[in-house]
Amino acid sequence: MTQDPNPARSADRDGEDGRGSPVGRRVVLGMLAAGAAGVAAAPLLQRAYDSTIGAAAQKDPTGLSGLLPAGGGFRYYSVTGSVPREDERGYRLTLDGLVRRPTGYRLADLRALPQTRLVRDVQCVTGWRVPHTAFEGVRLATLLDAAGVRPEAKAVHFTCFDGAYRESLTLEQARRDDVLVALRMQDRPLGHDHGGPVRLYVAPMYFYKSAKWLSRITVTDRVRPGYWEERGYDIDAWVGRSNGRDDAPTT
């Protein structure tokens, strides 16, 4: 073993008690500054990551990109290769079918109506869950009442501007207080990747019932199977007590 020719330097390097030198104040301040910078940059990095994943999912007809984690635990998925974007000026939501007053709504029209905010766990049929997710929008029942549903009506059919996705609810289900035409999610305007500017939100059912990119609501005389129901999914998609939920199904 060789001896350090400068004992004072050795004591300074190893600490007086031989357990290593204490961390200097400049090092601590530097670590705190780096941590603060990371916290400040995190939202920007998350938004950039989410945007990248969302764009990849919309161009991926296989759906494999939907397995990648994204913001808030959501998975981005579209049944088409890409989805057109609708903006403030061009968006229209049509309500027609077995109603006395067919109506077209702009975004400004929907925002001017009474808004309801719901906070529930989002549950996907494939197993992933996003707890305590806030959605805000107009109760679907409000739009149905304004249109004047005809006595022969039995169901409501939803069409989406991706050109492929569609869903249905019974009229009784559609009138529930926890079914929204949603404009906001997590207290922000509903982004394109999450089905904006307007989507359906059916809080007590699996998330495939909450059709994204909503463009038309048609009142009909019967339930029409939706995109996934035609591929074997349940038409009545209650999440249920097995997943820790106490929403009462509509019979």
Side-chain angles (χ1 to χ4, degrees):
M1 177 183 293
T2 59
Q3 185 175 2
D4 192 318
N6 190 336
R9 183 181 64 188
S10 179
D12 180 67
R13 182 183 65 226
D14 295 334
E16 293 181 357
D17 59 3
R19 290 181 296 180
S21 61
V23 177
R25 188 173 70 171
R26 284 183 296 178
V27 175
V28 172
L29 292 176
M31 293 171 63
L32 291 174
V39 171
L44 296 175
L45 294 173
Q46 184 65 65
R47 283 196 293 270
Y49 178 71
D50 292 350
S51 177
T52 301
I53 296 300
Q58 291 182 30
K59 296 178 180 179
D60 173 21
T62 69
L64 294 177
S65 56
L67 300 176
L68 297 173
F74 283 91
R75 303 293 185 266
Y76 294 113
Y77 188 72
S78 166
V79 299
T80 64
S82 63
V83 180
R85 291 178 180 267
E86 293 282 1
D87 60 17
E88 181 89 19
R89 292 174 298 176
Y91 180 78
R92 293 290 186 277
L93 174 64
T94 301
L95 198 161
D96 59 9
L98 298 177
V99 296
R100 295 184 177 90
R101 295 175 293 277
T103 310
Y105 291 93
R106 300 169 300 170
L107 276 176
D109 300 327
L110 293 170
R111 290 169 181 156
L113 294 171
Q115 305 291 300
T116 296
R117 186 175 184 269
L118 300 175
V119 180
R120 301 284 191 277
D121 292 355
V122 167
Q123 180 71 51
C124 180
V125 73
T126 58
W128 57 265
R129 176 186 296 182
V130 184
H132 309 302
T133 302
F135 279 89
E136 187 174 350
V138 183
R139 284 177 175 161
L140 178 57
T142 299
L143 301 184
L144 295 173
D145 289 344
V149 175
R150 294 184 178 276
E152 63 269 30
K154 296 292 188 292
V156 184
H157 183 69
F158 307 95
T159 307
C160 306
F161 63 78
D162 67 349
Y165 206 83
R166 56 197 176 276
E167 258 301 340
S168 282
L169 295 171
T170 68
L171 185 58
E172 190 176 5
Q173 291 166 356
R175 289 189 178 279
R176 289 176 60 109
D177 289 344
D178 50 8
V179 176
L180 303 181
V181 173
L183 311 175
R184 295 172 62 83
M185 188 186 82
Q186 296 173 324
D187 299 315
R188 295 189 296 271
L190 195 62
H192 177 79
D193 294 335
H194 288 292
V198 177
R199 73 176 297 161
L200 183 66
Y201 178 53
V202 185
M205 293 189 178
Y206 284 104
F207 208 38
Y208 67 86
K209 299 293 288 190
S210 297
K212 298 196 290 186
W213 305 300
L214 188 63
S215 62
R216 185 179 295 271
I217 300 170
T218 303
V219 179
T220 64
D221 60 355
R222 59 186 174 85
V223 171
R224 303 176 185 175
Y227 181 91
W228 285 115
E229 283 96 359
E230 290 178 341
R231 291 157 176 81
Y233 282 42
D234 288 340
I235 291 178
D236 288 326
W238 307 106
V239 173
R241 295 182 184 276
S242 63
N243 286 286
R245 295 284 289 272
D246 59 0
D247 313 274
T250 299
T251 56

